[in-house]
Amino acid sequence: MADEVVEGCDVFAKSLKNQGVEYVFGIVGIPVIELAMAMQKEGIKYIGMRNEQAASYAASAIGYMTGKPMIVIGGSSEREQDKMGAFQEYPQVECSRLYSKFSCQPSSIARIPFYVEKAYRNSIYGRPGPVYIDIPGNMVMAQVPEKTVRYVPQCPPPPRMCAAGADVKRAIDLLSTAKRAAYGQCEAELKTLVEGALQDADVVLLLGARLNWILHFGAPPRFRPDVKIIQIDICPEEIGNNVPPAVGLVGDLKSVLGQFNEELSKRSPKFVFSSSSNWWKTLNEKLEKNRISVQNNSEDKTVPLNYYAAFDEVNKIIPRDAIVISEGANTMDISWMLAHSVPWVWEWGLPSRLPCTVGTMLQTNGYRLPIVFIIINNNGISKSFGEEVFNSLEETDRLLSHPPTVLSPNARYEKVLEAFGGNGYFVNTPEEIQKALKESMANKKQASMVNIMISTMADRRQQAFSWLDSVQPSKIFKVNSCTDTNTRSNLHVDMFIPVITYCDFADIHSNMTGFMDRVNSPRGKRKIVIDRTSIFYDLMMKNKNDYFYF
């Protein structure tokens, strides 16, 4: 009897199944179609997409909710045609190494299980991250004797890593003597507290968070210059990045925090940070100030709405166990007020804050997914023009007169979903938002999109620090006036102000004073178009007059 043979696609599918893979998102073409069908035969659920970027977004979302990093599988040209200019020939493995923890191409069909297990293990061990497996076209349908294939069992969970006992004691000693301690990982429920605490904290406990741009590199003015940091990270190379820690502990958080609790239980008297301390009083005052600020913005239902008012209406309707995926600048930053949400960022997408690509959105109806898409639509990116101002520039060269943040006014994004069988709503008022969301939540068989129009000038509430305030606090952008009279004439404005250069704080006052003198000259009110990122923007918004377009 002849030896039984097995195709490469079946070996690959079974290897993925052995490692616990449950879902695959992708776009198929010859010969990858056979690979996707082999996966389904193994019981792996396949979700077809219209765009590779959308497929990776969807896989990332599943990975976030299940705690499993993403495995990227790419087809490539046949190996015997290497360096011959084969169809879509490209050094995919080499390119992927820059963006993944592990990148490989199996050397043979029989060795596929080895590479799949190694990729999966690399993705979950240490700091989790994506991996890439490249499959040459000739491996998909080629056959080998089944007895030559050695399948590999599922790799065990990552081993728990504990920190050195002496370092744990030093960390507890430091926390016990801290007068103004702060915790630094920023889950949603602690975000406001942490943001208020970091500025004045003398000791910061950093749990897996990195001192990168998100935490202002651990630098003043966001942190005290003499702050002592207790840093816990599973990656040794991350310890001491940007700020040398007072105590650095390498290990997974669950194990190290267990060591902390064990050490604390041995100490007498029991360590308790006094809730009656001045530090707690200061933090509570900041919390109350933030709460009132958010409440005031949320209760301002003037149409067009601001961000907070729009989110307030959303918060009233969506269920407490909803998973909220947020994207965009202000939309993402402010969506923390949906306090029950799972904080996660889905980057990029359609303009005006649609948290997905078109490919993801269109597939929701094909699989009967009752997802509710909410667009916070301000006609642009950050700030924009209203329809009246947009139309007033009809006779100008829009490639020059429209700031880069301006997009088409009142774009009807919901119509795209409607074209593929979903439900769309275009809303402006609190009542319209509530009605649209109630209908959307009641529909369990179709996706819905609620396109909420807000003010083109809506913004976050005043922040104590810019997200880039660190390292070089003495630098700020300077704005130079445009002297091109033709440009000013075409725009029907007196001045056009683009952002250009850097200057020191010492130069700002004189520049600002001269600028405002020109604006408030005896000629009367003057029309100005100004880039939102200029140093004059905040001042202008505090002194709104009808000579400011935005």
Side-chain angles (χ1 to χ4, degrees):
M1 181 178 177
D3 291 335
E4 292 190 11
V5 295
V6 63
E7 293 179 344
C9 58
D10 293 321
V11 174
F12 198 94
K14 187 173 182 178
S15 300
L16 291 173
K17 183 68 173 180
N18 287 348
Q19 297 306 318
V21 174
E22 299 178 78
Y23 300 93
V24 173
F25 299 81
I27 297 179
V28 296
I30 298 173
V32 183
I33 294 174
E34 288 77 12
L35 181 57
M37 293 175 68
M39 292 175 183
Q40 289 181 314
K41 187 170 68 174
E42 285 291 338
I44 298 174
K45 297 179 180 180
Y46 178 83
I47 298 93
M49 309 298 287
R50 285 178 166 84
N51 175 274
E52 291 89 346
Q53 185 183 34
S56 65
Y57 284 167
S60 295
I62 288 288
Y64 180 85
M65 291 186 287
T66 61
K68 297 180 179 180
M70 179 170 60
I71 298 175
V72 180
I73 303 168
S76 60
S77 55
E78 299 185 5
R79 296 186 70 174
E80 59 264 28
Q81 297 175 357
D82 187 40
K83 304 300 184 293
M84 295 177 63
F87 176 65
Q88 294 185 345
E89 181 180 339
Y90 196 76
Q92 296 170 193
V93 175
E94 289 80 358
C95 292
S96 299
R97 285 197 179 103
L98 294 173
Y99 312 106
S100 60
K101 286 191 67 182
F102 179 76
S103 180
C104 68
Q105 182 186 88
S107 57
S108 67
I109 292 176
R111 296 273 288 167
I112 286 176
F114 164 81
Y115 286 95
V116 170
E117 188 277 340
K118 187 166 185 176
Y120 190 87
R121 177 160 37 87
N122 272 268
S123 74
I124 63 175
Y125 278 38
R127 174 172 286 160
V131 295
Y132 175 73
I133 306 176
D134 191 74
I135 300 296
N138 58 313
M139 277 194 184
V140 177
M141 298 301 296
Q143 297 179 336
V144 297
E146 190 168 22
K147 67 181 182 181
T148 65
V149 180
R150 183 172 297 176
Y151 290 101
V152 182
Q154 183 172 4
C155 70
R160 292 295 181 185
M161 296 173 57
C162 292
D167 290 337
V168 172
K169 291 180 179 180
R170 289 172 53 215
I172 297 299
D173 288 341
L174 188 55
L175 282 173
S176 300
T177 57
K179 294 180 171 57
R180 298 182 174 187
Y183 163 89
Q185 193 183 22
C186 297
E187 281 93 341
E189 63 271 19
L190 291 171
K191 189 174 187 296
T192 303
L193 174 63
V194 170
E195 287 184 346
L198 289 180
Q199 181 185 1
D200 298 316
D202 57 347
V203 175
V204 172
L205 175 59
L206 202 65
L207 303 180
R210 306 181 205 181
L211 288 175
N212 55 16
W213 66 272
I214 297 175
L215 289 177
H216 298 250
F217 309 103
R222 200 65 183 88
F223 291 78
R224 281 174 47 157
D226 60 346
V227 65
K228 294 180 176 65
I229 292 177
I230 301 170
Q231 185 175 8
I232 307 174
D233 202 286
I234 199 168
C235 179
E237 292 83 359
E238 194 64 38
I239 302 294
N241 191 26
N242 291 320
V243 179
V247 184
L249 304 102
V250 177
D252 66 89
L253 293 181
K254 185 174 182 179
S255 297
V256 177
L257 292 179
Q259 290 179 279
F260 272 41
N261 289 329
E262 183 180 356
E263 177 63 25
L264 285 168
S265 67
K266 297 176 183 177
R267 301 201 173 196
S268 182
K270 184 178 179 180
F271 167 68
V272 176
F273 196 85
S274 175
S275 60
S276 61
S277 68
N278 290 333
W279 179 228
W280 272 118
K281 181 181 178 182
T282 300
L283 292 182
N284 285 325
E285 288 174 352
K286 289 185 177 181
L287 283 171
E288 181 63 13
K289 182 179 179 181
N290 289 336
R291 187 194 66 78
I292 293 174
S293 176
V294 170
Q295 180 179 333
N296 290 340
N297 281 290
S298 299
E299 292 176 351
D300 179 6
K301 304 300 183 181
T302 305
V303 177
L305 299 171
N306 64 66
Y307 285 101
Y308 297 88
F311 276 123
D312 183 54
E313 297 304 322
V314 173
N315 210 14
K316 293 174 181 176
I317 302 299
I318 60 175
R320 301 299 94 182
D321 59 349
I323 295 176
V324 177
I325 300 176
S326 178
E327 183 274 343
N330 287 337
T331 300
M332 180 181 66
D333 295 339
I334 299 170
S335 64
W336 65 265
M337 65 183 291
L338 303 175
H340 55 283
S341 69
V342 176
W344 189 72
V345 181
W346 208 339
E347 294 188 0
W348 302 112
L350 283 177
S352 298
R353 309 298 179 260
L354 176 62
C356 69
T357 63
V358 176
T360 310
M361 178 179 65
L362 301 185
Q363 286 304 92
T364 56
N365 283 308
Y367 292 102
R368 300 297 185 189
L369 302 177
I371 296 174
V372 179
F373 297 96
I374 299 174
I375 302 177
I376 304 298
N377 192 344
N378 64 350
N379 290 346
I381 301 170
S382 187
K383 292 183 174 62
S384 185
F385 288 160
E387 189 169 20
E388 182 179 352
V389 175
F390 186 91
N391 292 336
S392 72
L393 299 175
E394 184 70 35
E395 304 302 321
T396 69
D397 184 344
R398 290 185 173 178
L399 299 181
L400 296 175
S401 63
H402 282 198
T405 62
V406 174
L407 300 172
S408 301
N410 303 331
R412 301 297 298 269
Y413 297 115
E414 78 283 357
K415 296 293 185 182
V416 179
L417 187 63
E418 287 180 356
F420 285 80
N423 297 312
Y425 302 88
F426 185 78
V427 299
N428 291 273
T429 67
E431 295 75 20
E432 290 172 346
I433 294 173
Q434 290 202 28
K435 182 176 184 294
L437 284 175
K438 287 177 180 177
E439 292 180 7
S440 299
M441 297 304 302
N443 191 331
K444 303 300 182 183
K445 293 185 177 180
Q446 291 174 301
S448 301
M449 181 178 292
V450 182
N451 186 359
I452 304 176
M453 295 304 303
I454 66 169
S455 171
T456 61
M457 297 302 299
D459 202 353
R460 296 178 67 188
R461 61 187 178 81
Q462 185 66 38
Q463 303 295 302
F465 296 96
S466 164
W467 66 285
L468 288 178
D469 275 352
S470 63
V471 183
Q472 290 183 317
S474 64
K475 297 292 184 180
I476 194 168
F477 283 109
K478 176 183 178 181
V479 179
N480 296 328
S481 298
C482 175
T483 57
D484 185 347
T485 55
N486 290 329
T487 300
R488 296 201 309 240
S489 175
N490 290 337
L491 287 174
H492 307 291
V493 299
D494 295 301
M495 281 184 284
F496 180 75
I497 315 289
V499 170
I500 303 293
T501 57
Y502 268 120
C503 71
D504 290 318
F505 270 115
D507 299 330
I508 298 303
H509 186 266
S510 59
N511 279 291
M512 188 68 76
T513 302
F515 172 78
M516 294 309 295
D517 286 343
R518 293 171 64 191
V519 170
N520 297 314
S521 67
R523 292 175 55 189
K525 293 181 177 179
R526 309 178 69 183
K527 296 178 181 178
I528 298 169
V529 175
I530 185 166
D531 189 290
R532 70 178 182 84
T533 58
S534 90
I535 59 170
F536 301 117
Y537 182 77
D538 285 342
L539 180 61
M540 287 186 162
M541 296 312 299
K542 293 175 182 177
N543 300 277
K544 286 184 187 177
N545 290 296
D546 61 8
Y547 51 71
F548 294 132
Y549 277 143
F550 84 110

